[in-house]
Amino acid sequence: MHSLSIFGTSSDAGKSTLAFALTYLLHHRGLHVAPFKAQNVSNNSLVTDIDEGEIAIPQAFAAEAIGLQTTPIFNPILLKSGAASKAHLIINGKSVGDTNVWAYYKDLNRLKPVVTKAFQKLQEEYECIVAEGAGSPVELNLMDKDLSNIYVAKKFHTKIVLVADIQRGGVFASIYGVYNLLPKQLRTNVIGVIINKFQGDMSLFDEGVTIIEQDFGIKVLGVVPYKPFNLGFEDSASLMGYTQDLTQAIITVGVIKLPHISNFTDFEPLVVDTEIELNFITSPSEAKHYDLLIIPGSKRVVDDLLWLKKRGFTPVLTNKKIPIMAICGGYEMLFEEILDKQGVESQNKTTQGFGRFKGTVVFQKEKIVQKGCYNLQGVMVAGYEIHNAYAKKRAKKKKNLYGTFVHGLFESDAFRYKVFHKINKKYTGYNFKKFKKNAIADFAQHINLHVDVNYIHKALDE
C-alpha cells in the first residue's frame, strides 16, 4: 500500500486539519496508519509519550486522536524561534541548540537521512503514513531544500492529495500552477484536489468542479464547507482563526499575545469553554477589562519580557489587584532576575524581571522536556514541561497571582473549575476530554461527508 502526502496549494490551506481527518478516517476503515511531517516550523510543541521528546502539535494531535502513543519520529525535525537569523533545532525530539538559518538550508542534505530513517521506521510498523507537507510544494528556488513535500513524495513514491483554500481567492490558478509545476513523476501520483473552506451555496461551484476536472485533468475529491475546528492549532496564525459562542460567557480571560508565544494550545480548553470569553491582547490598556490575565509561554523569554516593558505592561503586571496567571516563560518573567550567562536564549546575561516572585531564574543548556502528573493548587494535573530555565519551585502562588512551568493545565476539568469558580461562583465547567473526543469525531465525519475517501483509499491500494 502507498503512503499519502498532503500538499497545500498555498500556506494555511488547511493541510493539518485535512491530514488529521484523513488519518482518522483511514484508521477507522481498518488501516494501520500513522501521521508524519518531516520538518515543522512552530513554537507550539508537545512532549511525546515515547522517549519524552518534542514534536509539533499537529502530528501529536493526529496520533492521539486514533489512540497512538506519540513518538519523535512522527516529526523528526522541528524548528523553533532562535536569535537573529537563527533557529532552535530539534532532531528526533532532542534539542541540538540554535543554528544559523542560512547554514541550515545550505547543509540540508545532512538531515535527509534523519527524515528517511524516521519514515522507514514507521513503514516497518504501519501500512500507510499520512505525510503532511509544508507551505507550497513548488517554491522553485527551494524545491531541492523541501524536506516535507518533494523529498518525501519522491523518496517514498507517495500518492498525493492537493488542498486548496478557496477563501484566499485565485483557487483555479493555485491548483493549476501547483499541479503543473510539480516534477512530472509526482504529477502522476496526484490522486486529486480537495477544495477547502467553502462558504455559501455549494452549487455555485459546480462549474468550477467541471473546469478543474475537464480543463485541468485533476479529479476534485471534494468541496468542503467551512467548519470551525478549535483544536490542534499548528501556529499562532492558525490560532487567531478560532471562533467562540459567547452567548453563555460569564468570565473574560485575556492572554497577552507575546511576539514569540509558544505552547498556545494551552488555551484550547478555554476557547471551547462556553462560559469563557477568551481574547488575545497586545496593549496594556486592554488588560483592565478581564477577570483573569494570562502571560503565556515564550520561546524567547528575555526578548518578550523586554517587549512587555517597552509596550508599557509593567504597571499592569506589577499591580497586585489584577488576577494574573503565568505559564512557563511567563512564569520566568515574574521573578526578580533572569540569568542567561551561557547565551542559551539571549545575549543579555542579566535581565531584571517584574519581581513578583522572589529569586532568580537561571538558563542552562540542558533542556527540561518531560511529562508527568503535577500537584497544582491541590489538584493533580497531567501536564508537561519544556524549558531551559531553572527555578527552585515548579509553581508559586500569591494572592491574585499564580505561576507554573507546567503546560496543559487547563485540560484538567478540576483545575479549571478551581480557578474559574473562584472568579465567578456561577461557573460550572465541562468535560474537556469528552468534548475533544466528540469534536474530533464530528469534524472527521464532516470531511467524510464531503470528500471521496473511498476513492483515496482505492488509490492508495493501486
Side-chain angles (χ1 to χ4, degrees):
M1 172 171 280
H2 288 278
S3 287
L4 178 65
S5 286
I6 309 296
F7 286 1
T9 63
S10 65
S11 295
D12 201 31
K15 294 184 298 295
S16 293
T17 49
L18 264 299
F20 132 70
L22 290 174
T23 302
Y24 183 93
L25 292 168
L26 292 172
H27 166 80
H28 283 276
R29 284 170 165 260
L31 292 183
H32 200 31
V33 61
F36 183 80
K37 187 165 183 176
Q39 173 189 279
N40 227 316
V41 181
S42 176
N43 286 341
N44 207 22
S45 63
L46 184 141
V47 179
T48 58
D49 299 311
I50 299 171
D51 294 333
E52 288 194 321
E54 290 183 70
I55 62 171
I57 292 295
Q59 284 63 56
F61 183 85
E64 290 174 351
I66 59 175
L68 298 182
Q69 282 194 306
T70 52
T71 167
I73 60 174
F74 289 155
N75 173 212
I77 300 172
L78 175 61
L79 293 169
K80 292 186 170 184
S81 299
S85 299
K86 289 188 177 182
H88 183 70
L89 178 60
I90 297 161
I91 297 178
N92 287 327
K94 304 303 180 186
S95 170
V96 296
D98 282 4
T99 180
N100 181 278
V101 173
W102 298 112
Y104 172 82
Y105 283 106
K106 186 177 181 180
D107 198 23
L108 204 60
N109 284 336
R110 70 186 176 90
L111 293 175
K112 288 180 179 178
V114 174
V115 174
T116 298
K117 187 175 181 180
F119 199 97
Q120 288 175 336
K121 193 170 182 180
L122 289 174
Q123 282 184 315
E124 293 172 3
E125 186 175 350
Y126 298 94
E127 294 176 87
C128 176
I129 298 155
V130 178
E132 180 189 343
S136 165
V138 290
E139 301 296 339
L140 300 183
N141 58 323
L142 298 173
M143 285 175 73
D144 62 327
K145 300 176 177 62
D146 183 354
L147 294 177
S148 296
N149 297 298
I150 302 299
Y151 179 73
V152 168
K154 276 187 175 181
K155 181 73 176 178
F156 299 102
H157 199 58
T158 60
K159 294 291 185 177
I160 299 167
V161 167
L162 302 179
V163 179
D165 178 1
I166 198 167
Q167 288 188 356
R168 285 178 173 268
V171 69
F172 295 104
S174 69
I175 294 169
Y176 183 86
V178 167
Y179 178 74
N180 285 284
L181 288 173
L182 284 173
K184 186 176 180 180
Q185 68 183 99
L186 296 188
R187 288 202 299 271
T188 61
N189 285 336
V190 174
I191 299 172
V193 61
I194 296 172
I195 311 299
N196 200 23
K197 305 180 187 178
F198 190 90
Q199 290 182 293
D201 185 349
M202 297 279 285
S203 66
L204 294 176
F205 201 70
D206 289 347
E207 186 179 355
V209 172
T210 301
I211 291 169
I212 294 167
E213 293 192 331
Q214 293 186 2
D215 295 353
F216 297 178
I218 307 169
K219 179 174 176 58
V220 175
L221 297 165
V223 180
V224 180
Y226 174 73
K227 182 180 178 68
F229 186 64
N230 294 321
L231 298 170
F233 294 118
E234 178 176 20
D235 50 38
S236 57
S238 59
L239 173 66
M240 290 303 108
Y242 73 91
T243 59
Q244 284 189 290
D245 178 3
L246 302 178
T247 55
Q248 300 176 55
I250 57 174
I251 295 172
T252 57
V253 176
V255 178
I256 302 176
K257 190 174 182 292
L258 302 171
H260 303 96
I261 185 173
S262 67
N263 297 88
F264 33 81
T265 42
D266 280 341
F267 309 115
E268 287 181 355
L270 307 186
V271 167
V272 298
D273 190 332
T274 57
E275 295 178 277
I276 290 176
E277 177 183 347
L278 183 86
N279 290 300
F280 286 83
I281 66 173
T282 56
S283 168
S285 62
E286 301 173 86
K288 61 184 178 181
H289 301 296
Y290 295 95
D291 298 313
L292 177 67
L293 194 63
I294 298 178
I295 315 172
S298 166
K299 185 60 191 72
R300 307 288 302 169
V301 176
V302 169
D303 289 347
D304 284 350
L305 168 59
L306 296 176
W307 177 85
L308 285 170
K309 290 180 177 180
K310 186 177 180 179
R311 294 283 294 180
F313 273 97
T314 299
V316 173
L317 299 181
T318 55
N319 187 332
K320 295 180 180 180
K321 294 182 180 180
I322 298 177
I324 295 173
M325 181 175 288
I327 302 172
C328 199
Y331 176 46
E332 296 158 25
M333 296 176 192
L334 295 181
F335 283 80
E336 293 173 307
E337 193 174 54
I338 297 175
L339 302 181
D340 190 1
K341 294 183 178 180
Q342 300 181 75
V344 176
E345 274 196 17
S346 172
Q347 295 306 306
N348 292 30
K349 293 184 178 181
T350 304
T351 306
Q352 297 302 308
F354 289 110
R356 298 295 302 275
F357 294 129
K358 289 183 179 180
T360 299
V361 169
V362 180
F363 273 85
Q364 298 184 16
K365 289 191 175 181
E366 185 180 352
K367 195 174 191 179
I368 294 175
V369 180
Q370 63 185 36
K371 299 185 83 166
C373 195
Y374 303 88
N375 186 336
L376 302 180
Q377 297 197 41
V379 177
M380 297 309 294
V381 174
Y384 63 96
E385 296 178 65
I386 302 177
H387 55 94
N388 286 93
Y390 286 70
K392 288 184 178 180
K393 291 187 177 181
R394 183 177 284 122
K396 283 195 172 189
K397 187 179 187 301
K398 287 186 174 182
K399 184 179 180 181
N400 285 332
L401 182 66
Y402 183 74
T404 180
F405 278 122
V406 180
H407 293 287
L409 64 177
F410 290 123
E411 294 191 23
S412 166
D413 298 340
F415 182 83
R416 274 196 331 277
Y417 181 81
K418 183 159 190 175
V419 170
F420 294 114
H421 188 257
K422 183 179 178 181
I423 293 173
N424 188 324
K425 299 300 180 185
K426 294 182 180 179
Y427 181 81
T428 58
Y430 74 107
N431 187 322
F432 177 67
K433 187 175 182 179
K434 181 179 179 181
F435 171 88
K436 187 175 181 178
K437 182 179 179 180
N438 291 339
I440 286 170
D442 181 60
F443 187 82
Q445 180 55 34
H446 175 70
I447 300 302
N448 193 49
L449 182 65
H450 296 285
V451 173
D452 193 342
V453 182
N454 280 329
Y455 189 90
I456 296 172
H457 191 169
K458 290 177 182 177
L460 295 175
D461 273 328
E462 291 178 356

